[in-house]
Amino acid sequence: MGEDKQEKKEKKNKEGGDQGGQQEKPPGGYDPTPLKPSSGPTYTVKITFHGASNIPISDYGSRSCDPYLLAQIDSSLTPRHSRDPPLRFRSQTIHKQLEPKWNAEWVVAGVPASGFELDISVLDEDPDDHDDRLGKVFVSTGKISKDWQGIKEQEFKVKEKGADVFAYGLRWIRAALCRGVEVHAKLCLSMELVGETKEEVGKIYTVNNFWWTHYSPMIGMLTGTRGEDDRGAERFDFEANELQLRGPVPNELYHRYVNFRSFVGGMFEGVGIRGRILHKALHHQHERIYNFNTQTKFGTFPDGPGDAMTLKFLDMVHHDQGGRIFTYVITLDGMFRFTETGKEFGIDLLSKHTMHSDVNIYIAWSGEFFIRRLAHPKESPEAPDQHTHPADDLPNGPPHTAPPKDPSFYELVIDNDSGTYRPEAKLIPIFKKFLEKNFPGLHIEVKTCDDEHLSKMKDQQRKIKKKEGEGRVFGQSSEVGSISSSEVSSLDSRIDDDENGVAPHVSGRERGFEALEHPREALKELIGSPGKGGEKNVEKGGQAS
């Protein structure tokens, strides 16, 4: 006669794939699965991608190319989950160049003595289409010890395997007709042993810090969002930010998506008709928002976390310029991605955090944040005589003068408001310490999503934003098409409705996906729907036409 309620709960937990063995409802959120420590000493290695030569022409209109590198590290270390995102690095793009010089540095720590393999893809950036694949380079470090000599400006042949035929077609023809035509491109790189890793945590992680800011006028027009260009002129634009934090991300910060509806697991795993469609759509949306093009800005912090990095973060969030609230995700390798919360253009029923994570099953932390300027930087933000801007009109800053360049004047108020991943409140002290390490000088307050004082502060920010005008935003909505932790009880009630046979409210789009995956059930529902005589015929044992 079917499964009882307990069997249904166990099935849902199993489908959720909760790695921590927890029987939570719904499955997901914090995962306590430990990370296996390294069996011996680990090392810190600096990889430098110097440049490349003989890159094939991929844009025949300009007889040039816009090359960049996408590198991935594979090692013998065992991840906690087979679907943990790989450790990757993207170089900046060198536009209209067949002999690019990147001189891009990637410093990684926690490398085991067995070393690692570096899988490097050479690609041509094309913001309006799929990036062209120009070939691959595979480099193995071999075993690493204190005496490892590394690699010094060595050239490696770029293999055309997997490359787009269009990029190499003309070159292959020329090589067949003429002698002396070199087919392969070459990549020059170095690897240097920095020393033994002091903070060994059982995984390889990124140490150096860099940032990206992405702009999209097209998305700005779709959402009605505006920004200012370098000359201060206002125009349609959409802004998305990435800031690589110094690792390691504490191992305790490990959260899995919450399987709050039947379609969510398929969406993250990319299985089933609906799951594949939603997975691809969200991945495409992520690429559109974090779109690399000629307007993309990039920078590094050679000295690591310090005033320069903190001030850059404040600049990225347009500090002291109104009541902005930002949506963010921090990946397992410490990539801090965020956009301003504003008008929604996303996909129905899907969370903004899912988009920011690029549909990753596991992340470190997620939520929302905003910045406040303090009247008394040497006092606690909670001091009785403390006042904050933009709530209060304070001297020594906007709207009267330029904002202060001292990080101690500002407070970062950040929370765990994400129903998609539900970061664990008891881990807030660990998360706060990680942020303080990366943003020295900044006052940092981490709050839970159900904090009443936080709700009042957010309402205040929204009121200020409303006075400024809804067009002055840079992001996605926290209202339409997104799920916040404040809606957890609502999500839980949906699960209870499913278990008790109560049909939840679904949109036309979701019904369409259901019909694709279960056409027979959809047809039965249509035939037996009220007002069409279906139920009456079924009750009489008749056959509906």
Side-chain angles (χ1 to χ4, degrees):
M1 297 297 293
E3 301 168 302
D4 61 22
K5 188 173 182 178
Q6 181 61 33
E7 288 175 335
K8 287 183 177 181
K9 285 184 178 180
E10 291 176 355
K11 184 177 180 181
K12 287 179 180 292
N13 283 328
K14 184 177 179 182
E15 289 174 350
D18 183 49
Q19 297 299 303
Q22 299 178 352
Q23 298 298 312
E24 297 182 69
K25 187 190 73 173
Y30 170 57
D31 187 338
T33 302
L35 189 60
K36 184 178 179 181
S38 301
S39 57
T42 61
Y43 302 92
T44 300
V45 176
K46 181 172 76 171
I47 306 166
T48 304
F49 303 98
H50 298 290
S53 60
N54 201 37
I55 293 290
I57 296 172
S58 58
D59 184 354
Y60 283 93
S62 62
R63 295 189 59 80
S64 188
C65 182
D66 302 318
Y68 71 93
L69 303 175
L70 184 62
Q72 177 175 314
I73 284 179
D74 298 309
S75 74
S76 61
L77 297 178
T78 304
R80 278 179 284 195
H81 190 278
S82 61
R83 297 294 296 275
D84 280 357
L87 189 66
R88 286 180 173 171
F89 171 83
R90 190 200 195 276
S91 76
Q92 69 271 38
T93 300
I94 307 297
H95 295 279
K96 299 188 181 303
Q97 182 59 253
L98 301 179
E99 305 284 329
K101 301 294 181 185
W102 292 286
N103 293 316
E105 294 182 352
W106 186 20
V107 185
V108 293
V111 177
S114 57
F116 61 81
E117 291 186 354
L118 192 62
D119 181 345
I120 311 165
S121 295
V122 185
L123 300 107
D124 168 57
E125 183 180 277
D126 189 350
D128 299 323
D129 200 353
H130 294 292
D131 294 348
D132 296 323
R133 296 166 294 178
L134 305 180
K136 283 200 168 191
V137 176
F138 299 93
V139 181
S140 178
T141 63
K143 293 185 177 180
I144 297 178
S145 67
K146 292 181 180 179
D147 301 322
W148 184 62
Q149 297 300 307
I151 299 172
K152 296 181 180 179
E153 297 190 32
Q154 184 174 335
E155 285 191 331
F156 295 86
K157 184 184 293 185
V158 179
K159 299 180 180 179
E160 307 105 307
K161 185 177 181 181
D164 292 329
V165 176
F166 181 77
Y168 280 92
L170 182 59
R171 183 169 292 184
W172 286 332
I173 294 173
R174 289 183 58 205
L177 299 176
C178 308
R179 292 184 179 181
V181 175
E182 177 60 47
V183 174
H184 298 93
K186 291 183 179 180
L187 174 66
C188 181
L189 63 82
S190 296
M191 291 190 192
E192 175 188 350
L193 179 64
V194 177
E196 286 196 32
T197 298
K198 296 179 181 179
E199 201 169 356
E200 199 284 313
V201 291
K203 61 184 177 184
I204 301 178
Y205 56 90
T206 299
V207 174
N208 59 322
N209 308 105
F210 44 89
W211 60 272
W212 302 92
T213 298
H214 309 267
Y215 302 92
S216 177
M218 180 187 71
I219 295 178
M221 293 180 66
L222 291 174
T223 58
T225 61
R226 298 176 183 270
E228 292 183 357
D229 59 20
D230 295 336
R231 299 179 180 179
E234 191 174 271
R235 58 186 174 83
F236 282 111
D237 209 347
F238 181 88
E239 186 174 317
N241 301 280
E242 295 181 282
L243 177 59
Q244 177 64 54
L245 304 179
R246 184 181 182 89
V249 172
N251 287 345
E252 296 89 343
L253 306 185
Y254 190 62
H255 293 87
R256 183 184 184 277
Y257 72 86
V258 177
N259 198 16
F260 61 86
R261 291 294 297 274
S262 59
F263 70 87
V264 173
M267 177 182 71
F268 275 90
E269 304 285 348
V271 296
I273 297 175
R274 175 168 53 174
R276 288 194 296 270
I277 292 173
L278 296 179
H279 185 90
K280 186 174 182 180
L282 273 166
H283 181 68
H284 181 70
Q285 188 185 27
H286 176 89
E287 288 183 332
R288 289 292 88 194
I289 290 176
Y290 292 95
N291 184 33
F292 289 86
N293 54 35
T294 55
Q295 293 179 306
T296 301
K297 294 182 179 179
F298 167 77
T300 63
F301 305 101
D303 299 325
D307 280 358
M309 184 164 157
T310 303
L311 288 172
K312 183 59 190 178
F313 168 62
L314 292 172
D315 179 61
M316 294 170 87
V317 298
H318 304 277
H319 64 293
D320 230 343
Q321 297 180 26
R324 292 178 167 86
I325 298 177
F326 292 84
T327 300
Y328 76 93
V329 157
I330 297 179
T331 69
L332 295 180
D333 191 41
M335 182 61 80
F336 188 14
R337 297 188 184 126
F338 53 92
T339 62
E340 186 179 353
T341 301
K343 290 184 178 179
E344 170 69 10
F345 63 96
I347 305 166
D348 237 359
L349 299 172
L350 304 185
S351 164
K352 54 190 179 292
H353 291 112
T354 312
M355 182 283 301
H356 284 291
S357 74
D358 200 13
V359 212
N360 273 332
I361 292 175
Y362 282 93
I363 64 162
W365 204 269
S366 58
E368 293 184 333
F369 72 85
F370 56 90
I371 297 291
R372 303 192 301 176
R373 175 161 56 90
L374 306 177
H376 308 292
K378 294 183 179 181
E379 295 184 16
S380 167
E382 304 302 325
D385 62 338
Q386 186 68 270
H387 295 278
T388 63
H389 185 270
D392 300 319
D393 188 2
L394 302 178
N396 303 319
H400 310 292
T401 60
K405 292 295 184 180
D406 182 351
S408 65
F409 272 89
Y410 301 94
E411 179 191 28
L412 167 63
V413 181
I414 191 166
D415 63 34
N416 64 342
D417 192 5
S418 171
T420 306
Y421 294 100
R422 298 189 188 178
E424 181 63 45
K426 68 181 180 182
L427 300 176
I428 281 179
I430 297 174
F431 179 56
K432 181 177 180 180
K433 187 176 179 180
F434 175 64
L435 292 179
E436 289 174 340
K437 182 179 74 172
N438 277 280
F439 299 118
L442 190 66
H443 297 272
I444 297 175
E445 182 65 29
V446 184
K447 293 184 174 293
T448 59
C449 59
D450 56 356
D451 186 285
E452 292 184 5
H453 183 46
L454 173 68
S455 298
K456 292 178 181 178
M457 287 192 290
K458 281 189 174 181
D459 287 341
Q460 194 175 52
Q461 292 286 111
R462 295 187 186 101
K463 288 179 181 178
I464 295 168
K465 167 60 71 175
K466 191 173 183 180
K467 289 180 180 178
E468 295 174 336
E470 290 298 326
R472 294 289 303 169
V473 296
F474 293 89
Q476 287 191 296
S477 172
S478 60
E479 298 173 359
V480 182
S482 63
I483 303 297
S484 67
S485 291
S486 57
E487 296 167 305
V488 164
S489 60
S490 174
L491 297 179
D492 287 340
S493 67
R494 291 184 185 182
I495 298 295
D496 289 334
D497 287 345
D498 287 344
E499 292 174 346
N500 296 323
V502 180
H505 172 74
V506 292
S507 68
R509 180 174 298 183
E510 190 173 2
R511 289 182 183 277
F513 282 127
E514 288 286 359
L516 280 173
E517 289 191 311
H518 308 290
R520 291 185 179 180
E521 287 76 0
L523 182 60
K524 288 180 181 179
E525 183 180 353
L526 178 64
I527 293 174
S529 59
K532 294 186 179 181
E535 287 183 348
K536 186 175 180 180
N537 287 336
V538 171
E539 288 174 1
K540 291 182 177 181
Q543 194 172 20
S545 58

